[in-house]
Amino acid sequence: MKYDFDTILDRQHTNSEKWDVKPGELPMTTADMDFKTAPEIMQAMKDKINAGAFGYEYPSQEYFDAVAHWYKIEHNAEAQTSWMRFATGVIPSITASVNHLSHTGDNVLLMEPVYNTFYNSILNSGRHALASQLKYDRSTYTYSVDWDDLEEKMSNPLTTLMILCNPHNPTGYVWSRDELMRIIKLAQKYGVIVISDEIHGDLVLKGPDYTPTFSLPEEYRQNLVTLVSTSKTFNVAALHAATGIVANPTLREHFTRAINKYEVAEPNLLAIPGTIAAYTQGADWLHQLKKYLLDNREYLEQFISDNLPQLHVVPGTATYLVWIDVSEVTKDSNALAQKIRQETGLIINPGTYYHGNGNEFIRINIAYPLTQIKDGLTRLAKAIKN
């Protein structure tokens, strides 16, 4: 079956966070996709609605079997279902874990630039965000870990947690297996628990696949909470469904208490059937989606090379989010984003949201029909040239 990724959806007036914009504006921002999800998922949800009874739900063994099946088939990664716990989202799980696994005033370590909502989980919990800056090579437009700085920040006695983004948002970088083991080993050395957000793991568009952290050798799993979800993969963020995978039984008990203490462990009526359908019937849809997204990314890269040579795309291989160096145009990406919106109606994320050196970057979402990608890039070129 060939799935449709070319039809433009009218998402205004649908309670879409991203599409609460003025007429004629084009938001290429919030990390959800402007494609209908897999019809197999929609059918499972329709069947649930048609049943007509909407009482309390619980995650069945079928749910956890579906998660295990998916990671075995798609990523050749083994996870025991006994390691798994249902949660209402990756970010709710992170917030609950920060509150329960650390103390007020502790440091939570991040590698910047990084997904901005992590800061909400940290600061709203009364913890301190402690950043290790990724090293940026302007000759190749690539990032790497500053290992000395990372160890120094981990060795701080107040650093008790680290939030890892695997693959990394916003750069699209896919950590290698060796890099993940080195990060986790450092964390073990200093008694730091690693919470790994792997929400973009299914969206590696080319090159080596991502490594689920729960699939690392046993000795690397002891201080690790892995969080996965169908939300980005299948464009079902509003289902509010995620899975925590924790191999260490003591840490798993702490995680279980965290998500129950903060009441983020109970599914809504569509979360279970929607997730099961995604993980058991959604592979063909996802494989076609990734090909479409890769074509979109390559179109963007060629367009920028041909029309906007002063911009430079960071060569990430994962996610549908593109991180673009605009330092030859401005050192203030927030002002640039405002100018682009005012002059053309294109809305993009200024890199300042993601801290670190983000003031010299913008982030663009490319999970749109190609027609809209072309429209957005035309608007971008007009604003930059002006």
Side-chain angles (χ1 to χ4, degrees), residues 121-143:
S121 297
I122 297 167
L123 301 178
N124 291 343
S125 302
R127 276 63 170 170
H128 301 292
L130 181 63
S132 177
Q133 302 299 322
L134 293 169
K135 293 193 291 187
Y136 183 60
D137 184 343
R138 200 171 294 281
S139 66
T140 58
Y141 312 107
T142 57
Y143 286 91

Side-chain angles (χ1 to χ4, degrees), residues 96-379:
S97 296
V98 168
N99 276 279
H100 194 70
L101 301 178
S102 67
H103 297 91
T104 301
D106 282 359
N107 294 330
V108 181
L109 182 59
L110 302 163
M111 287 190 286
E112 291 181 348
V114 73
Y115 179 47
N116 53 306
T117 303
F118 290 159
Y119 297 91
N120 297 343
S121 297
I122 297 167
L123 301 178
N124 291 343
S125 302
R127 276 63 170 170
H128 301 292
L130 181 63
S132 177
Q133 302 299 322
L134 293 169
K135 293 193 291 187
Y136 183 60
D137 184 343
R138 200 171 294 281
S139 66
T140 58
Y141 312 107
T142 57
Y143 286 91
S144 60
V145 178
D146 186 335
W147 294 104
D148 291 337
D149 183 69
L150 184 67
E151 181 165 10
E152 179 186 343
K153 301 290 170 56
M154 281 189 178
S155 70
N156 186 316
L158 288 178
T159 302
T160 53
L161 294 177
M162 176 182 183
I163 301 176
L164 175 67
C165 202
N166 174 39
H168 190 263
N169 175 11
T171 68
Y173 183 73
V174 177
W175 304 106
S176 71
R177 181 181 175 88
D178 287 344
E179 286 171 323
L180 291 172
M181 290 193 294
R182 186 172 177 183
I183 290 168
I184 293 169
K185 200 69 174 177
L186 273 179
Q188 288 178 342
K189 179 179 179 180
Y190 297 105
V192 175
I193 294 172
V194 177
I195 303 171
S196 184
D197 173 355
E198 306 192 358
I199 203 166
H200 294 282
D202 293 320
L203 294 168
V204 177
L205 306 184
K206 63 179 179 180
D209 193 16
Y210 108 105
T211 301
T213 49
F214 63 77
S215 69
L216 295 173
E218 182 178 0
E219 63 266 30
Y220 295 93
R221 300 196 297 253
Q222 301 312 303
N223 61 326
L224 180 66
V225 175
T226 304
L227 300 171
V228 301
S229 175
T230 56
S231 64
K232 302 301 182 192
T233 308
F234 292 99
N235 203 30
V236 290
L239 277 188
H240 298 292
T243 307
I245 305 176
V246 190
N248 181 316
T250 302
L251 183 56
R252 183 165 64 249
E253 178 61 25
H254 287 305
F255 176 76
T256 303
R257 291 194 178 203
I259 59 176
N260 281 279
K261 177 180 179 180
Y262 292 96
E263 302 294 351
V264 295
E266 187 172 307
N268 65 64
L269 77 155
L270 299 180
I272 302 304
T275 301
I276 291 172
Y279 280 150
T280 59
Q281 302 175 55
D284 287 346
W285 183 90
L286 175 63
H287 299 161
Q288 291 183 39
L289 167 76
K290 292 201 293 185
K291 174 63 168 61
Y292 196 93
L293 292 175
L294 179 59
D295 289 346
N296 278 359
R297 183 180 176 99
E298 290 176 346
Y299 180 89
L300 175 143
E301 290 172 345
Q302 191 62 52
F303 182 95
I304 287 178
S305 176
D306 292 343
N307 299 280
L308 295 168
Q310 65 272 57
L311 304 189
H312 304 282
V313 178
V314 171
T317 58
T319 84
Y320 48 76
L321 306 165
V322 183
W323 190 237
I324 301 174
D325 185 331
V326 295
S327 60
E328 292 182 24
V329 174
T330 183
K331 304 298 182 183
D332 184 354
S333 62
N334 190 58
L336 178 64
Q338 292 178 17
K339 167 187 165 64
I340 292 169
R341 181 173 187 174
Q342 290 167 358
E343 293 191 3
T344 72
L346 173 65
I347 310 172
I348 47 88
N349 291 128
T352 49
Y353 289 1
Y354 311 100
H355 301 259
N357 66 340
N359 58 313
E360 298 182 355
F361 291 79
I362 58 174
R363 194 191 79 169
I364 295 181
N365 182 341
I366 58 166
Y368 296 79
L370 180 58
T371 301
Q372 287 178 303
I373 297 293
K374 292 178 177 179
D375 180 13
L377 290 173
T378 299
R379 299 186 196 209

